[in-house]
Each structure stands twice: as C-alpha cells, then as structure tokens.
C-alpha cells in the first residue's frame, strides 16, 4: 500500500461528478415542487392545524394568499430557485422559521447520529463478516448469519423500542431518549455521548446485516479463488493471505454498498429519531412533506440528494483505489 | 445483568411489539431515578409539539400559557378572574364596549414594562389579514381596540357578544420585541418573551422545551424552579420513559394509563373535557337529511357501550356539544338507548325493512357512507360501533377512512365522524356547529344544519348579557336537537395523565381544568404548575 494516491485522477472525477450534479439537483427540486403540487395534502389545512377546523372560509382563503400557495407551480419554483442561488432558502410555513434556521438547528445532530451509526455498521459488519467468511458454516458464521437475517426483517423503530425497554427500563444504564438529560437545559459533550449510544447503536445495527452479508460472501468466495490457493500453496501465512488477497477482492462489493446504503440510512434515521426524540432533521422532513411546505421540502430534498450523490462518489473513489483496473472515469 | 433479564429480552423479541408493551406495563418501576431528582424541578411528557410559541399566530389563545398571560384567565372551576387586567371588565349597557383597567407594575421577562400599547398591538396584529393566524374568526365580533392612557384598554364590538370577555384570555405579546420583526416567521415565534410565570430557556424542536421560573412574575415566583416538557410522540415510549423515571408526568391513552393504576408512587388524573366525538348527518343527503332517520339513529346508538368499551370508562355519553356535567347542560335532554323505539320511528315514517334487512322507502335504501380520519384509532372505533348499532335498526352505514383532503369535498352529502370542543361559553361550539348561515363555511356547520328556531336562539344567546335569558336560549337549542338532531353526538372523552405523587398545591392535591379538544401545552395537572409546592 505504499503506492502514491492518484490525486489528479480523483480530483478530475470529483469535478465531473460535481458538474453532473447541477442538472440532477435542478431536476430533483422541480420534481419535488411538481409532486407536492399533485399531492392531495393541502398546505393551508396543514398550516392551520386544529384551528382550521373552526376557521371561516374567508380566514382560510386569506391564509392561502398569505402563504403564496395559490400561485402556479413553475412561478413558485423559479422564485425559490432564484432566492436559493443567492443563499436565501425562504421561510418554512410549518415551522414558522427561516428554512436556513430549521436546517442549521437540526442537521448537525442528524449527521452525528447517521455518521456514528454508519461507522458502527461498517466496522462491526466488516469485522464480523471477515470472521464468518473465513470459516463458513462454523459456529460463529451460523450464529451471526441467522442473527443478521432476523435483524434485516426487524423494523428499526421496533428495535428502538426494544432497546429502550431493555437498556433504559430493565437495566437503567442508558437514557431512553432526547439529546441530553430531560431535566437539563445545557448541551454538554458527555451527555450527548451517552444519549447517542442507543439511537446510534439501533440505527447502526439495523444497517449492519447488509455489510456483514456482503463481506462474508466476498471474503468467503475470495478465499476459494486460485490466487489465494496459490498464495497458500507458496506457504504464505494465513494472515497475509487474508489481508493481502482475500480481503482486498472480498471487500470490493462492499465499497459499492457504502454508497448505495445512504438512502436507507436516511430513512432509517427518520424512524430512530422519532422513537428516541432525537432533535434531528428527520422529523422536520416528515412534517414538511405532509404539510406541503415547499421551501423546506425543496431544501431538504437537495440535502438528501447531495448526500446520496456524495455517497456514490465516495464509493466509486474507494473502488478505484482498491481496484486500479476500474480507474476513475466513473 | 441477570439470566432473568436476558430471558425477558428473548421472550419480548419473540412475542413482538405486543409483548413489549405488555412487559413494559407489568414491570415494577424499579429504576425510578426521577423521583429522587431535585424537588424544585418537574419534567412532563407531552405528545404534541406546538409549531409556534407566538400568541400572534394563535399560541395561548385559550389562555393558560406558561410564558404569557392574557387580560383574564380561567381558574380551576373555569371562572374568569383578572390576570393582566386589574379586575373583570366594565361592560357598557348595550354590550358593545368592554373597558379593562390594567394591573400596575407588571414587567415582561426582559425587564420592559407591560402597558396598554402591548394589548392594542397584540389584538390589532391578530386581526390583521397579513398575520397567518388561523383562529382569527374567534375575534370576529371585535371592531376596534384602543388604549386610554398607559393603563386602560377599550374594546369596541361590531355586535353585542356576551362571551367576549372569555376571548380576552388571549396571551399578550410585547410590542417592543414582536413589533420589530416578521410576525409570521420572525425569531419571536420560537424565542418568546412574555409576562408569565415561566421563561423559555430552550426549545430543541422534536425533543423538549425547557423553562425556568420567572423571578419577577407578578403573581410571585413559582416554587417549581425548572420545568421541562419532553416531546414524545409515541404513546408506548412515553409510558416507558415515565416508568424509567425519566419523566415525572405524562399524558397517556387509557390502556397505558391503566398500567400505572397499582403504582403507589404515582397518581392518575382524568381531566374532564369538552372534547366530543360526533357524526354529522348532512341535510343534503336523502337518508341522513330525513328527520325520522336522524331521530332513530339518535336513540339506536348505545353511547354507554362506547364509553365502556372504546374509552375504557374514561369519558361520558354525549347528547350535544355541551357535556352532561356542565352547568349549561339542559337536564332532561339525555336520550335512552332504545332500539325498539328507533324501529317504531322508522316504521311510522315509512322506512320498511327490505329483503336484506336494510330499510327502504320509495325505492331509497336507508344507507349512507360515514367517513373518519384515517390513522385515528379512536375515531375508527367510534365509527364502526356507530355503524353496527345502526345496522340493528335497519340502517346501513358504510364506514370509510380518508384524509381531510378526501373527506372535505364530500362533507355536503356524506356523514363524517368529527371531533371538537372548546370549554367555557356554550356559544363557542354551538354557534359554529348549528348556525344555518355558516353551513359549508370551512369546517363550520359541517352537517348543513338548518333550523330557524335554533338560529334565533343562538342569536339571543350570544347577544344578551342576562344569564337567565342566555340559559333559556341554550336550553331551547338543546331541546330542538332532541326533536331534530343534525348530528349524533356520541361521547365526551376524558384526557388521562399519570403524575409522580410528590407535589401539592395550597388548596390540596393537584387538579385539572376542563380541557378543549386539542391538547395545549398547559393542559393536564400542570395547568397551574406555578402553584405547585414540593411535598414535605
């Protein structure tokens, strides 16, 4: 691994992808406006909430005009785009706040949760996958594999409830929800760290089976390939065989997986954040969608799309590094 | 960790979510860390988070906000008492002018004095069409408000409106803060400044709201110094966190509250409400518009069974928007469940049983659709029970789920399982539900009810300031509803709260107010948390 990294090629690929992302993002935001427009949800009703159930028609009509939702779809999209380019993301109707504030307040916590969970899933999944792949059919393999299939079928929110019941209620060792202790109004790193454990673990564990199963398969297959047999025959140590040969080719499918799991991670975070009262962006996303809050919805979709594109770029870069034959042409 | 708890976990894993809930309910609250917490702090679990904390957008419109005060407030018995006003208002003889003298020496939590200017600013901003306030209709009677000096405010009405004083529980916002920013999305909507007993110290959206006692509160500094509202949408999680000691109190559905009944350290409070569930019977449908069908349904329905089975006893039968234990309820208008009488009414009106058991008259089958809000289990249960009761009387009801977007265009002809209820004056619910000129106006008078006697009585009831005349008017309305029901009122629902038993008030234990349909932040036993004292 002493080879110099091909920085130039990697930068060119990143640049090309960034250019290609512009029309994709434009198209996605237009699609969001179009889908929201076609959705049966009424933004005025969502805004008014229960008060709307006793409001007069005149009051509701006035709200419709104030919120600007009676104007044509293309006009609204174009205005939103024009403002967004200058850095003004608009004002969220449902949150009664500027969109930038809504995102700034929450996105950090979501990223922290998702990144920790991802790390848990990748490292734990890889480690277990390698161990299981080395001896397929062994005790560890059978135990972890069946657990992985069970986990894949278990919904994340149910895992969350189970974790709260066990760790918070029966054992009383970890907090059951929130970002900090419920009675406290300061945010300290220590408190956040303890409160992060359960949601990150639940989200991570719900993503783990994919990584585990891919790595297990890849490593297992690689160990049966000719180069590995040859290496073994030449008397190389088991350790060198595993890290130098099997792991390298066995890990390849997983690198692709990293990129493609990002959307799953986002939807998983949504459920986990709700169960654990985690003050992230997920709850806002649901609210924006059912309230047809155009500015907030569009901004959040751009964020999610960007995350997916970044995930894909990352996995392609890693793939190119791991397997020079693939290169960086995308 | 013991083998027992491991086995417990495995059992729950296998038995699924149901077992999880059951297990959570039957485990004794061993780790009740919260009950050992500081005595001057309280943490409560709520299910709904407000979108905004700005009174200008509708927050605190029914009074009793922890951050703000209105001119008046409602006490435990729902009687009006002065808050930011020094006394109840002086009302002119024609009922058109309300004059309030303001309390002296009140300061907002940022140290600025509260004056008549703030009152005028608040009401004028709410009335401004540019303000996105969906509850503006409630101030429909108000023509103008002006300040007379620093400590007096005069409201002028368009028409005499007897319950107007009850509308002045509306929270008052400071002009020097809220007047300098965008009223719809400015920072004031999330970082409010008020005169109330508590000051908001943080709002982590989706997680919690934190408050500290306002040391300069005009009513005296509260004994509970720190107050937290944790936002926990899922009922099971809320119950679990209450049991884990993370919360001191929470609102719970009847089934989960029952799990705490044997708990000696906690008390359950059932708040009486105006929260009704009703079926609209639209006059524009040829079956539901027939008075005989409406009257038959009114007595064919078994309200008692709904209270016992659906609400697990936490509620009472409803015969109109006014609950049976309200002083405004017209005694003697209760309807007995009488299936035989219902059949007789239908027989006499010419609805004869058809071959499939469903009655027919002139080729019209006694059948109609009933919509309920999808995802609302309580409404679904009510709708299905209603349909099954009606079937016994030979009326076919097809219950269907839908969102408001699906239901609204059909409201003119299709029946809807609706909910609502505002405590206090009988005008609030009845005028909007029953006035014929409001038929089809937004969600008002969804049944398109049209009854001249009722229209007249409702006008008399809101215009007169004479209590006896008002009582007579609302008695008339309720008796007319027996003769020609535009709705089948089913139940009034109690709201249940479980609270750690470690606080008292000067007048004894904790209490609840009569609650509206929607759960405000300050509903529940903590409606007067500012007067809680730690138990010795």
């Amino acid at each position: 691994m002493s080879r110099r990294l091909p920085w130039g090629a990697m930068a060119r690929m990143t640049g090309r992808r960034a250019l290609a992302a512009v029309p994709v993002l434009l198209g996605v935001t237009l699609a969001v406006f179009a889908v929201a427009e076609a959705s049966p949800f009424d933004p005025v009703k969502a805004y008014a909430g229960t008060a709307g159930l006793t409001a007069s028609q005149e009051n509701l009509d006035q709200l419709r005009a104030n919120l600007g939702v009676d104007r044509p779809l293309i006009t609204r999209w174009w205005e939103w785009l024009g403002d967004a380019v200058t850095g003004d993301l608009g004002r969220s109707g449902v949150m009664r706040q500027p969109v930038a504030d809504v995102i700034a307040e929450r996105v950090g916590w979501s990223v922290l949760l998702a990144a920790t969970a991802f790390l848990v899933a990748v490292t734990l999944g890889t480690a277990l996958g390698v161990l299981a792949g080395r001896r397929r059919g062994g005790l560890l393999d059978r135990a972890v594999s069946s657990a992985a299939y069970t986990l894949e079928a278990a919904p994340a929110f149910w895992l969350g409830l189970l974790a709260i019941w066990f760790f918070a209620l029966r054992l009383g060792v970890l907090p059951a929800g929130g970002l900090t202790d419920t009675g406290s109004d300061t945010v300290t790193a220590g408190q956040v760290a303890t409160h992060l454990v359960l949601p990150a673990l639940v989200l991570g564990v719900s993503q783990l089976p994919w990584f585990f199963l891919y790595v297990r398969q890849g490593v297992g297959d690689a160990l049966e390939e000719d180069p590995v047999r040859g290496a073994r025959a030449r008397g190389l140590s088991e350790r060198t065989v595993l890290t130098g040969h099997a792991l390298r080719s066995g890990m390849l499918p997983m690198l692709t997986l990293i990129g493609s799991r990002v959307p799953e991670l986002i939807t998983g975070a949504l459920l986990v954040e709700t169960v654990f009262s985690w003050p992230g962006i997920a709850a806002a996303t649901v609210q924006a969608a059912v309230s047809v809050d155009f500015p907030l919805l569009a901004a959040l979709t751009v964020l999610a799309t960007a995350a997916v594109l970044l995930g894909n770029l990352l996995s392609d870069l890693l793939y190119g590094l791991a397997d020079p034959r693939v290169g960086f042409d995308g | 960790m013991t083998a027992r708890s491991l086995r417990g976990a495995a059992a729950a894993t296998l038995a699924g979510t149901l077992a999880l809930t059951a297990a959570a309910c039957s485990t004794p609250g061993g780790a009740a860390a919260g009950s050992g917490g500081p005595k001057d702090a309280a943490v409560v679990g709520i299910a709904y988070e407000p979108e905004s904390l700005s009174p200008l957008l509708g927050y605190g419109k029914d009074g009793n906000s922890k951050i703000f005060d209105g001119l008046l407030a409602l006490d435990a018995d729902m009687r009006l008492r002065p808050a930011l006003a020094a006394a109840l208002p002086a009302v002119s003889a024609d009922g058109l002018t309300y004059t309030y003298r303001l309390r002296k020496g009140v300061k907002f939590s940022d140290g600025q004095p509260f004056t008549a200017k703030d009152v005028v600013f608040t009401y004028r901003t709410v009335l401004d069409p540019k303000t996105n306030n969906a509850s503006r209709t409630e101030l429909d009677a108000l023509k103008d408000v002006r300040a007379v000096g620093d400590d007096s405010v005069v409201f002028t009405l368009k028409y005499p409106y007897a319950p107007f004083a009850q509308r002045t529980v509306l929270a008052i916002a400071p002009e020097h803060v809220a007047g300098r920013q965008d009223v719809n999305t400015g920072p004031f909507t999330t970082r409010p400044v008020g005169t109330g007993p508590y000051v908001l110290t943080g709002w982590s959206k989706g997680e919690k709201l934190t408050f500290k006692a306002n040391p300069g509160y005009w009513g005296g500094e509260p004994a509970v110094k720190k107050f937290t509202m944790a936002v926990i949408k899922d009922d099971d999680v809320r119950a679990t966190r209450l049991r884990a000691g993370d919360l001191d109190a929470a609102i719970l559905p009847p089934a989960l509250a029952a799990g705490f009944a044997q708990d000696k350290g906690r008390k359950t409070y059932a708040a009486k409400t105006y929260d009704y569930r009703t079926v609209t019977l639209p006059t524009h449908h040829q079956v539901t518009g027939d008075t005989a069908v409406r009257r038959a349904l009114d007595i064919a329905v078994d309200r008692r069974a709904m209270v016992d089975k659906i609400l697990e006893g936490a509620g009472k039968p409803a015969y109109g928007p006014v609950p049976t234990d309200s002083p405004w309820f017209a005694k003697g208008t209760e309807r007995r469940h009488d299936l035989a009488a219902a059949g007789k009414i239908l027989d006499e009106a010419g609805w004869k049983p058809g071959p499939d058991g469903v009655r027919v008259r002139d080729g019209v089958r006694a059948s109609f659709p009933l919509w309920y809000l999808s995802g609302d289990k309580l409404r679904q249960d009510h709708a299905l029970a209603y349909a099954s009761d009606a079937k016994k009387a030979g009326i076919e009801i097809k219950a269907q789920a839908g969102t408001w977007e699906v239901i609204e265009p059909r409201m003119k002809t299709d029946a809807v399982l609706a909910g609502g209820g505002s405590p206090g004056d009988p005008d609030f619910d009845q005028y909007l539900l029953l006035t014929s000129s409001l038929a089809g106006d937004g969600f008002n008078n969804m049944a398109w009810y049209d009854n001249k006697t009722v229209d007249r009585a409702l006008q008399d009831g809101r215009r007169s300031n004479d209590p006896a005349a008002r009582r007579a008017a609302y008695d008339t309305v309720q008796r007319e509803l027996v003769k020609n029901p535009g709705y089948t009122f089913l139940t009034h629902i109690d709201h249940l709260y479980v609270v750690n038993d470690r606080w008292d008030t000067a007048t004894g234990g904790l209490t609840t107010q009569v609650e509206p349909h929607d759960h405000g932040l300050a509903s529940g036993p903590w409606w007067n948390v500012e007067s809680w004292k730690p138990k010795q």
Side-chain angles (χ1 to χ4, degrees), chain B residues 114-402:
Chain B
F114 155 77
T115 71
K117 270 183 13 217
D118 299 303
V119 180
V120 174
F121 163 75
T122 300
Y123 281 88
R124 287 205 176 144
T125 310
V126 171
L127 288 181
D128 182 354
K130 292 260 173 332
T131 305
N132 294 341
N133 186 320
S135 314
R136 180 162 33 242
T137 322
E138 294 186 353
L139 291 178
D140 182 55
L142 183 55
K143 187 162 91 188
D144 188 36
V145 50
R146 62 196 162 82
V148 179
D150 262 0
D151 60 354
S152 192
V153 180
V154 179
F155 293 87
T156 319
L157 306 191
K158 293 179 204 157
Y159 47 85
Y161 184 54
F164 181 73
Q166 284 224 27
R167 293 298 189 203
T168 58
V169 298
L170 178 89
I172 301 297
E175 183 179 23
H176 67 273
V177 182
R180 291 188 190 150
Q181 44 178 275
D182 182 341
V183 61
N184 294 319
T185 55
F188 181 71
T189 63
T190 47
R191 288 196 294 278
V193 174
T195 56
Y198 285 88
V199 178
L200 184 80
T201 51
W203 183 6
S204 170
K205 283 198 178 175
E207 190 201 359
K208 66 186 169 193
L209 299 106
T210 49
F211 303 87
K212 72 169 168 50
N214 179 359
Y217 181 51
W218 55 267
E221 187 183 1
V224 173
K225 302 287 182 223
K226 256 175 81 175
F227 186 55
T228 306
M229 292 176 168
V231 181
I232 305 158
K233 296 206 170 71
D234 188 280
D235 292 334
D236 289 316
V237 176
R238 219 175 316 116
T240 305
R241 285 179 61 177
L242 177 64
R243 198 174 294 281
D246 201 19
L247 305 175
D248 293 308
I251 179 164
L252 291 176
L256 287 172
F260 291 91
Q262 305 302 319
D263 192 332
K264 286 198 179 59
R266 294 187 177 92
K267 276 190 173 168
T268 302
Y269 296 85
K272 298 273 168 259
T273 75
Y274 268 52
D275 189 0
Y276 59 75
R277 293 294 177 276
T278 188
V279 176
T280 68
L281 300 171
T283 41
H284 288 272
H285 189 283
Q286 49 189 352
V287 177
T288 58
D290 184 70
T291 310
V293 171
R294 296 145 80 109
R295 284 181 52 218
L297 285 169
D298 204 29
I299 50 175
V301 61
D302 189 352
R303 297 174 170 92
R304 190 74 248 167
M306 291 187 182
V307 171
D308 292 342
K309 303 250 170 61
I310 302 175
L311 304 179
E312 308 204 20
K316 33 182 194 304
Y319 304 98
V322 183
T324 46
D325 55 2
S326 159
W328 290 99
F329 181 72
K331 292 259 174 331
T333 57
E334 297 94 336
R335 271 79 96 189
R336 243 163 24 88
H337 169 54
D338 191 342
L339 198 55
K344 201 158 152 261
I345 292 173
L346 291 169
D347 284 338
E348 283 168 6
W351 292 97
K352 301 286 181 227
D356 57 351
V358 178
R359 290 170 186 266
V360 184
R361 184 177 75 179
D362 305 333
V364 176
R365 269 163 59 83
S367 167
F368 63 92
L370 169 62
W371 292 90
Y372 62 89
L373 192 61
S374 49
D376 189 328
K377 176 84 166 50
L378 204 56
R379 291 186 190 208
Q380 180 183 345
D381 290 348
H382 275 91
L384 295 176
Y386 184 66
S388 122
D389 286 347
K391 196 172 173 210
K392 290 178 197 148
I395 296 172
E396 180 188 59
I397 297 179
K398 287 170 285 198
Q400 299 172 69

Side-chain angles (χ1 to χ4, degrees), chain A residues 40 42 45 47 53 56-57 59 62 66 91 94-97 106 158 179-185 277 279, chain B residues 17 20 43 51 129-130 132 134 137 185 189 201 204-205 207-208 226 228 231 246 405 408 441-443:
Chain A
D42 180 358
K45 265 214 196 86
Y47 184 93
L53 298 182
S56 67
Q57 195 58 47
N59 198 177
Q62 181 70 49
N66 286 3
R91 272 148 296 277
V94 68
M95 299 284 167
R96 275 71 159 168
Q97 260 182 302
R106 296 165 178 248
W158 182 77
L179 180 67
T180 53
D181 292 344
T182 323
S184 139
D185 49 8
S277 300
Chain B
T17 325
L20 170 69
V43 182
E51 277 92 19
K130 292 260 173 332
N132 294 341
T137 322
T185 55
T189 63
T201 51
S204 170
K205 283 198 178 175
E207 190 201 359
K208 66 186 169 193
K226 256 175 81 175
T228 306
V231 181
D246 201 19
E405 283 77 7
E408 197 194 354
D441 176 60
F443 282 83

Side-chain angles (χ1 to χ4, degrees), chain B residues 431-443:
Chain B
Y431 189 80
L432 298 177
L433 274 168
L434 299 170
T435 304
S436 60
S437 59
L438 291 178
D441 176 60
F443 282 83

